[in-house]
Amino acid sequence: MSYRAPEPLGSAHLLDEFECGSSEQTEWLRRFARQSASVGTTKIFAVTETGSDRVVAYYAWCMAQLAIGDAPARLRKGAGRYPQPVALLARLGVDLTHERKGLGAGLLTDVVARVAALSDGIGCRGLLVHAESQTAHDFYLHLVPEFEQSPTDELHLVSMLKDIKRTLGL
């Protein structure tokens, strides 16, 4: 089975058959992703099998800010009292029939690479991940050990941009 690289969600993408282990992620993709993408509040990247428009994996991300009190100690250093700009990985889902094929890890790699690439053109101190469950939290931490836990939510993870760039060798 081969897959296309993640691409922005488009009108040709088929969403109705997508079903992942999270009913919330499944429902959001089916019902709200197109509207969110069309108004520009969230950018959604979709993966399909080669030769098909049926979405088998996706992630949604946007820019956000992290209040100083919500940031790990390392991110607070040198930040003054101001909220810190971060990229937010808000959603990530892999269809049940395509799990354990590396798509989740591939999507996270894509996010990290995009954050690193965008950081030269926009203020961004790091990546914030809102994990939906302990299982998702552990998945992210396994793939990116540099993630630090947010002091305000045990399921939120933060990685500083300099750590991301070091990991990528930039």
Side-chain angles (χ1 to χ4, degrees):
M1 207 170 295
S2 65
Y3 300 98
R4 291 186 193 144
E7 61 186 4
L9 184 67
S11 59
H13 286 116
L14 305 173
L15 309 178
D16 291 341
E17 293 180 32
F18 181 86
E19 185 174 346
C20 68
S22 164
S23 59
E24 182 177 326
Q25 303 303 343
T26 298
E27 192 67 16
W28 186 86
L29 179 68
R30 290 179 182 177
R31 294 185 63 203
F32 304 110
R34 289 192 199 283
Q35 178 184 1
S36 186
S38 72
V39 297
T41 57
T42 308
K43 295 297 182 188
I44 297 102
F45 286 82
V47 173
T48 60
E49 286 183 84
T50 302
S52 172
D53 289 325
R54 180 180 173 265
V55 172
V56 297
Y58 81 98
Y59 70 84
W61 73 325
C62 60
M63 290 303 297
Q65 65 181 10
L66 197 55
I68 290 299
D70 296 344
R74 286 184 63 229
L75 189 67
R76 289 193 302 260
K77 186 177 179 182
R81 299 174 298 197
Y82 305 104
Q84 297 299 293
V86 293
L88 168 62
L89 176 59
R91 300 181 180 279
L92 187 148
V94 176
D95 190 273
L96 292 170
T97 60
H98 295 268
E99 285 185 333
R100 306 214 183 282
K101 296 181 180 175
L103 289 173
L107 288 175
L108 185 58
T109 300
D110 192 71
V111 169
V112 167
R114 287 179 195 273
V115 169
L118 288 173
S119 68
D120 290 336
I122 191 168
C124 182
R125 295 267 334 262
L127 175 64
L128 171 63
V129 173
H130 285 179
E132 181 183 17
S133 65
Q134 189 63 46
T135 301
H137 172 277
D138 295 346
F139 166 79
Y140 292 122
L141 202 53
H142 171 73
L143 292 174
V144 183
E146 295 86 2
F147 273 128
E148 297 179 54
Q149 188 169 308
S150 165
T152 59
D153 190 314
E154 63 186 31
L155 294 179
H156 292 181
L157 297 166
V158 181
S159 182
M160 293 184 66
L161 187 59
K162 65 183 180 180
D163 295 337
I164 290 170
K165 286 185 172 183
R166 185 174 53 246
T167 298
L168 294 175
L170 301 175

